[in-house]
Amino acid sequence: MAVAADGEGFQGETQARVRMPYRVRGPVRTILGRLAVAVGLIVVAACVVYAGRDGYRDATGRPVNWLTSFYYAVVTLTTIGYGDVVPVTGTARLVNTLVITPLRLGFLLVLVGTTFRALTERTRREWSEQSWRRKVRDHTVVIGYGTTGRAAVSTLRARGGRPRRIIVIDPDPAAVGDANRHGLVGIVGDGTGTDVLERAELGKARHVLIATSRDDTAVLAALTARRMNPSAVITASVARAENVPLLRGGGADNVITSSETAGHLLGVAALNPAVGTVLEDLLSVGFGLEVAERPPDAGEVGRGTEHIREPLLAVVRDGRPLRYCDPQIGGIRADDRLIVAREAPGADARRQQG
């Protein structure tokens, strides 16, 4: 078996957890927000007391004014009160029961917000995950969020992929946390485990991208993914070309040899710098040229490949790609897919801004 032994070993068994995207709020902003809520509750209570000031009695005998209203609101919401300002009429006591008491409870919840937030955050995450599971389908599962996985996700998003339809699996919590900060759903765990892939709803996925750091891990992930989802398109990246047959035998539809592909590009760029520049342009996302797949236009159906309005690289017919020079192509069919080289959308505007 030609699987490479270099690179990091298998990670220890980690409890798989689904992590939904989130926004990071700084501690200063959180504290200021809670202070604003607390002050707002005091202001509301003071306004309620002042509006019903005729129903309150001050122990000093003076009428209840704005200052006394704020004083009563503060001591009532923060303590049990001193008894120097008390409601004496039935209306004032009813208002205290229905309004001031809930405000006091809200104020206390703000003061113990850390504990309260920890309790509610877990419930919020569970609700969010359940809602996501009900809706997710035809999504993309990315196993491995290293350099290759991040580049793959960037390309998917640049081509219009929605973040909530991309699920990242990685054993490193820091990598999954980074994916969450970019709006992606993440799962901390081993991408070769059935339980982890089940949490990613792999059975309903349309695409599976395998970008692990080891070839043996990639082979096992492909085998597991294909067994769980026979119809998904599985694309894997490997470091060594001799492992390509193993991945194809394990169920991968497409296998990219990362190290050898990079070596070929380096060699081409050394011998033909202009060709290397064009290839780099094609592989860059969002700038200059890009390789895209599209259906044929109405005016292209039934005509030869020389009539395609963009440089044609291949024709996908019945799920099989045919090179542009293949005589089997003949006339373009309505159900064909054309792989062409074209200018990336918005590339001209980005060049002008640059």
Side-chain angles (χ1 to χ4, degrees):
M1 186 173 181
V3 175
D6 51 350
E8 296 181 2
F10 284 109
Q11 301 291 331
E13 189 66 26
T14 305
Q15 182 181 4
R17 293 179 293 132
V18 177
R19 294 188 176 185
M20 306 303 293
Y22 61 89
R23 291 184 179 180
V24 179
R25 295 187 62 185
V28 175
R29 185 177 178 183
T30 302
I31 292 174
L32 291 177
R34 292 180 180 177
L35 287 177
V37 173
V39 172
L41 293 175
I42 292 175
V43 171
V44 171
C47 291
V48 171
V49 172
Y50 185 77
R53 57 189 178 278
D54 293 337
Y56 290 81
R57 183 181 65 193
D58 190 344
T60 62
R62 291 178 294 185
V64 176
N65 53 21
W66 273 110
L67 179 60
T68 305
S69 299
F70 273 100
Y71 167 76
Y72 176 80
V74 171
V75 300
T76 302
L77 296 184
T78 57
T79 69
I80 59 173
Y82 297 119
D84 48 354
V85 180
V86 294
V88 293
T89 66
T91 301
R93 291 175 177 176
L94 179 63
V95 169
N96 261 260
T97 302
L98 299 180
V99 179
I100 301 300
T101 299
L103 289 177
R104 181 188 296 119
L105 295 176
F107 190 86
L108 293 175
L109 289 176
V110 171
L111 296 181
V112 296
T114 301
T115 303
F116 180 74
R117 182 180 179 184
L119 294 175
T120 58
E121 184 67 17
R122 180 175 179 179
T123 302
R124 185 196 66 81
R125 288 198 304 265
E126 292 178 352
W127 285 349
S128 179
E129 180 180 342
Q130 291 174 2
S131 175
W132 167 77
R133 289 188 183 281
R134 287 194 300 268
K135 298 177 181 178
V136 67
R137 59 181 48 84
D138 294 334
H139 53 287
T140 300
V141 177
V142 180
I143 302 175
Y145 200 59
T147 302
T148 304
R150 292 169 194 262
V153 169
S154 298
T155 301
L156 291 175
R157 298 190 64 177
R159 298 291 179 90
R162 295 170 52 190
R164 280 299 185 101
R165 296 175 67 88
I166 301 174
I167 303 170
V168 170
I169 300 176
D170 198 281
D172 184 6
V176 175
D178 184 62
N180 292 153
R181 286 188 289 273
H182 287 84
L184 307 175
V185 177
I187 299 178
V188 178
D190 184 356
T192 64
T194 302
D195 58 336
V196 176
L197 297 180
E198 285 178 347
R199 287 179 175 269
E201 299 293 337
L202 189 133
K204 298 186 292 183
R206 176 176 295 182
H207 300 282
V208 179
L209 305 183
I210 302 175
T212 57
S213 59
R214 289 179 52 121
D215 288 1
D216 52 358
T217 306
V219 172
L220 184 56
L223 284 167
T224 308
R226 178 56 71 205
R227 180 177 59 82
M228 296 178 62
N229 190 332
S231 62
V233 178
I234 300 178
T235 303
S237 172
V238 293
R240 300 173 60 179
E242 56 262 39
N243 292 325
V244 171
L246 292 175
L247 270 162
R248 291 195 181 277
D253 299 286
N254 306 295
V255 182
I256 309 298
T257 310
S258 55
S259 57
E260 294 198 2
T261 300
H264 290 321
L265 291 176
L266 287 174
V268 170
L271 296 175
N272 305 102
V275 176
T277 301
V278 174
L279 290 176
E280 181 185 6
D281 193 4
L282 286 171
L283 294 176
S284 300
V285 179
F287 294 91
L289 299 174
E290 69 173 7
V291 178
E293 180 181 333
R294 66 172 178 84
D297 297 335
E300 297 170 339
V301 176
R303 310 187 71 180
T305 57
E306 67 275 8
H307 296 288
I308 304 301
R309 55 183 172 84
E310 296 161 323
L312 180 67
L313 302 178
V315 174
V316 181
R317 178 170 295 169
D318 299 328
R320 187 167 63 96
L322 304 174
R323 297 177 182 177
Y324 74 96
C325 56
D326 195 320
Q328 298 182 40
I329 295 177
I332 299 298
R333 301 177 184 175
D335 59 346
D336 286 341
R337 301 287 297 182
L338 307 181
I339 300 178
V340 299
R342 67 185 183 187
E343 187 174 28
D348 186 60
R350 280 188 285 269
R351 281 198 301 269
Q352 292 178 1
Q353 293 176 359

